[in-house]
């Protein structure tokens, strides 16, 4: 997930620096692939682990052994090929209809809406939902939702071809850059949420660290070792 976010960033930088169509594809297609990676993370969060190190941990600590009993067989046998098929189909449609922007947006927004719905359900209504998970989902929705609102406003004001004929009055605001910042921060917090969910499924207690009270400027998931019962729902 982190690698795909970096790929999106590189592609976006190349596209905005050159405005070439090939780099537009390098910006937009990785966004579709990134969503598929997120879908994989959310569908496989309770998958059995094949790691010997975790197997040893499960055997030594009761809380991990209990978590191990709730894991289920991995869906990799059909899930990965299915996601590859979806990605290949999206790629074909993207190049088959290069002038139809709605093809890309439809593919992108459909998965985004599913990810939002599932993350909200897991963070608030799942039995193993925690305050830490809700914190990251709130931040992700605020950042991504705020950036999307700015993007929509920008398109309404100037349109896709708004800079033709002398520009537009709010050019100095750089609203498109605000959208990218919001999307990046929203994706960052969403990946942290996925990490919290997966570690919780493996029996680890986690908390959100960083932010205003810590040295790190952004919150991140950190394991809590030797925590007492009060930490269980944190």
């Amino acid at each position: 997930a982190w690698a795909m976010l970096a790929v999106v960033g590189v592609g976006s930088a190349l596209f905005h620096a050159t405005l070439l169509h090939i780099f537009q594809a390098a910006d937009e297609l990785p966004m579709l692939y990134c969503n598929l990676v997120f879908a994989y993370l959310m569908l496989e969060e309770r998958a059995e682990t094949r790691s010997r190190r975790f197997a040893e941990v499960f055997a030594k600590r009761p809380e991990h052994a209990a978590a191990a009993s709730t894991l289920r067989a991995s869906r990799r046998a059909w899930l990965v090929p299915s996601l590859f098929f979806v990605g290949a189909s999206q790629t074909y449609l993207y190049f088959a209809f290069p002038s139809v922007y709605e093809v890309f947006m439809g593919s992108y927004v459909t998965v985004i809406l599913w990810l939002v719905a599932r993350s909200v359900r897991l963070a608030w209504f799942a039995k193993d939902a925690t305050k830490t998970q809700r914190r990251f989902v709130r931040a992700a929705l605020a950042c991504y939702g705020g950036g999307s609102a700015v993007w929509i406003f920008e398109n309404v004001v100037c349109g896709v071809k708004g800079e033709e004929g002398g520009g537009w009055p709010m050019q100095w605001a750089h609203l498109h850059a605000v959208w990218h910042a919001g999307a990046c921060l929203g994706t960052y917090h969403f990946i942290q949420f996925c990490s919290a969910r997966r570690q919780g499924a493996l029996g680890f207690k986690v908390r959100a660290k960083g932010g205003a009270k810590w040295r790190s400027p952004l919150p991140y998931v950190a394991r809590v070792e030797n925590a007492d019962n009060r930490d269980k729902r944190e």
Side-chain angles (χ1 to χ4, degrees):
W2 291 119
M4 286 306 305
L5 180 59
V7 171
V8 172
V10 172
S12 182
L14 291 173
F15 171 48
H16 289 78
T18 64
L19 296 182
L20 297 176
H21 182 262
I22 184 61
F23 290 131
Q24 182 179 2
D27 173 27
E28 293 175 345
L29 284 176
M31 293 169 64
L32 301 179
Y33 306 151
C34 200
N35 280 350
L36 298 180
V37 171
F38 295 157
Y40 174 86
L41 293 179
M42 302 208 79
L43 292 172
E44 284 284 81
E45 65 175 18
R46 305 203 70 84
E48 293 177 347
T49 176
R50 300 177 181 178
S51 169
R52 290 184 178 180
R53 185 173 70 87
F54 281 121
E56 294 174 355
V57 171
F58 289 149
K60 293 180 180 179
R61 300 184 181 182
E63 63 271 25
H64 295 296
S69 65
T70 67
L71 299 180
R72 60 192 175 208
S74 174
R75 303 170 178 172
R76 292 185 184 92
W78 62 267
L79 179 59
V80 172
S82 299
L83 293 177
F84 268 105
F85 175 77
V86 172
S89 300
Q90 290 176 331
T91 303
Y92 169 76
L93 292 174
Y94 183 88
F95 288 109
F97 304 96
S99 61
V100 184
Y101 188 62
E102 289 76 12
V103 171
F104 162 72
M105 286 302 298
S107 300
Y108 181 70
V109 172
T110 298
V111 182
I112 285 291
L113 292 177
W114 180 83
L115 291 173
V116 169
R118 184 169 177 84
S119 61
V120 169
R121 184 178 69 82
L122 292 175
W124 272 271
F125 302 105
K127 293 182 179 179
D128 55 347
T130 66
K131 294 179 180 179
T132 295
Q133 295 172 21
R134 288 191 287 273
R135 173 179 176 179
F136 283 117
V137 173
R138 285 194 193 98
L141 293 177
C143 293
Y144 202 94
S148 298
V150 170
W151 180 82
I152 293 173
F153 175 76
E154 176 201 24
N155 279 272
V156 170
V157 171
C158 71
V160 177
K161 300 181 180 180
E163 295 186 2
E164 294 181 0
W168 55 293
M170 295 189 66
Q171 181 72 30
W172 57 269
H174 298 292
L175 296 182
H176 197 73
V178 176
W179 142 249
H180 278 285
C184 180
L185 289 173
T187 304
Y188 168 87
H189 286 93
F190 179 79
I191 297 176
Q192 294 290 351
F193 163 69
C194 291
S195 176
R197 289 288 306 176
R198 177 58 176 167
Q199 294 193 67
L202 294 177
F204 292 101
K205 296 181 177 67
V206 298
R207 278 183 173 177
K209 291 188 177 181
K213 297 181 180 180
W214 297 78
R215 295 180 180 179
S216 173
L218 292 174
Y220 61 94
V221 171
R223 293 178 185 173
V224 179
E225 298 294 338
N226 300 322
D228 56 29
N229 292 332
R230 290 176 300 176
D231 296 323
K232 185 176 181 180
R233 302 300 296 176
E234 294 295 321

